[in-house]
Amino acid sequence: MSMRVSVFTEPHRGATYDTQLRFARLVEACGYEGFLRADHYQSMGADPGLPGPTDAWLTLAALARETERIRLGTLVTSATFRLPGPLAMMVAQVDQMSGGRVDLGIGAGWYEREHTSYGIPFPPVSERFDRLAEQLEVITGLWGTPSGETYSFTGDHYRLVDAPALPKPVQVPGPPIIVGGRGPKRTPELAARYADEFNMPFKSVADTARAYDRVLEACERTGRAESGRDPLVLSAGIVVAIGRTDAEAQRRAAPLHEKSALPPEDPVVGSPDQLAQRIGEFAAAGATRVHLRLIDFNDLDHLELIAAEVLPQLDGER
């Protein structure tokens, strides 16, 4: 089985930059492919997530200078948080700072409470998807504009006039874009048109396989192959709580039982072999990359256990 394995984290639960740096360095030392983080400004339960939020792209810029090999990115940046032109510049700069190791996961945004708390506009869902579509068009357009030329765009929500389309990212034509989610219509279409990777987050293998079918059908409808685009990378997010004993696994799973704004998920709670088996099931469904969601930044043993007991069972490039 060949599988790329990254670690996905949620700093809005409570993690300083130094805590994230320690964790990311261990991710790199343990041989994982990447460190990706959520882009949220508020916790999703009763716990306030002290000491408070850290901005995703500020954090990744710093990590770009303090790591050497791992890929760095978001799952996912909310299109409501930043204008597409500045976001394209921001991600391109972090790509430069990392030597070309950035992935941009981007979505329409969904968590209304953090928008209300910090004065961020939160339009209806249809408009959020319209804005996401325009952001994807703008970001890929800016990155793909040849040096010395300018880029203009006129949409319903954004207008750019003679943008210099600078700075350029290291990766050509730009950092891989990840689009994902459970939506049955617009999400597959946007992934087929603009993304390099489609991610199904934290659902069952059966639900994930159905989502893959939808996005592959969208690729056929949009003529992705005929346009010369590479096939979509299919990835899965997996909530992980494993241990050497059942008691250890259950202790790590305890936060999963807390009330949260997150939709229902399908975690792996159990042994390293159970996690390896689940990854194999996702591989059989077509996934070539998984993002393992680990909850506790201070539980470094969890990270090391997976590296020691699960990664050797996967022969993929990491």
Side-chain angles (χ1 to χ4, degrees), residues 40-42 78-81 108-123 128:
H40 284 292
Y41 289 134
Q42 197 164 351
S78 174
T80 56
F81 287 173
W110 64 272
Y111 189 36
E112 184 173 7
R113 190 177 80 169
E114 64 187 338
H115 292 76
T116 303
S117 294
Y118 288 103
I120 303 168
F122 189 72
R128 296 201 306 274

Side-chain angles (χ1 to χ4, degrees), residues 150-162:
T150 60
Y151 175 80
S152 296
F153 174 83
T154 300
D156 292 332
H157 303 285
Y158 306 106
R159 182 169 182 259
L160 288 75
V161 180
D162 295 335

Side-chain angles (χ1 to χ4, degrees), residues 9-17 19-20 22 37 40-44 47-54 295-298:
T9 62
E10 299 177 308
H12 56 272
R13 290 177 177 267
T16 64
Y17 170 72
T19 299
Q20 293 174 71
R22 179 181 64 177
R37 56 156 288 168
H40 284 292
Y41 289 134
Q42 197 164 351
S43 66
M44 296 177 187
D47 188 326
L50 296 176
T54 52
I295 295 171
D296 187 354
F297 271 99
N298 294 310

Side-chain angles (χ1 to χ4, degrees), residues 13-34:
R13 290 177 177 267
T16 64
Y17 170 72
D18 286 339
T19 299
Q20 293 174 71
L21 172 61
R22 179 181 64 177
F23 197 85
R25 282 177 166 166
L26 186 57
V27 167
E28 185 164 80
C30 283
Y32 296 92
E33 184 195 48

Side-chain angles (χ1 to χ4, degrees), residues 226-237:
E226 289 77 6
S227 68
R229 298 281 305 281
D230 289 337
L232 267 176
V233 171
L234 301 177
S235 68

Side-chain angles (χ1 to χ4, degrees), residues 179-265:
V179 170
R182 303 168 180 86
K185 296 180 180 179
R186 298 198 68 181
T187 297
E189 191 82 9
L190 291 174
R193 290 186 180 278
Y194 297 105
D196 301 282
E197 176 178 333
F198 172 78
N199 175 256
M200 183 61 165
F202 318 124
K203 299 296 286 184
S204 69
V205 175
D207 286 342
T208 300
R210 285 190 287 270
Y212 291 168
D213 288 341
R214 290 192 294 269
V215 77
L216 292 175
E217 289 169 3
C219 288
E220 290 186 11
R221 286 196 308 272
T222 59
R224 182 185 177 100
E226 289 77 6
S227 68
R229 298 281 305 281
D230 289 337
L232 267 176
V233 171
L234 301 177
S235 68
I238 310 175
V239 182
V240 175
I242 68 168
R244 297 170 183 85
T245 65
D246 185 63
E248 187 175 73
Q250 293 299 329
R251 172 179 60 78
R252 288 179 166 136
L256 302 178
H257 305 303
E258 298 171 0
K259 187 176 181 180
S260 169
L262 291 169
E265 300 168 333

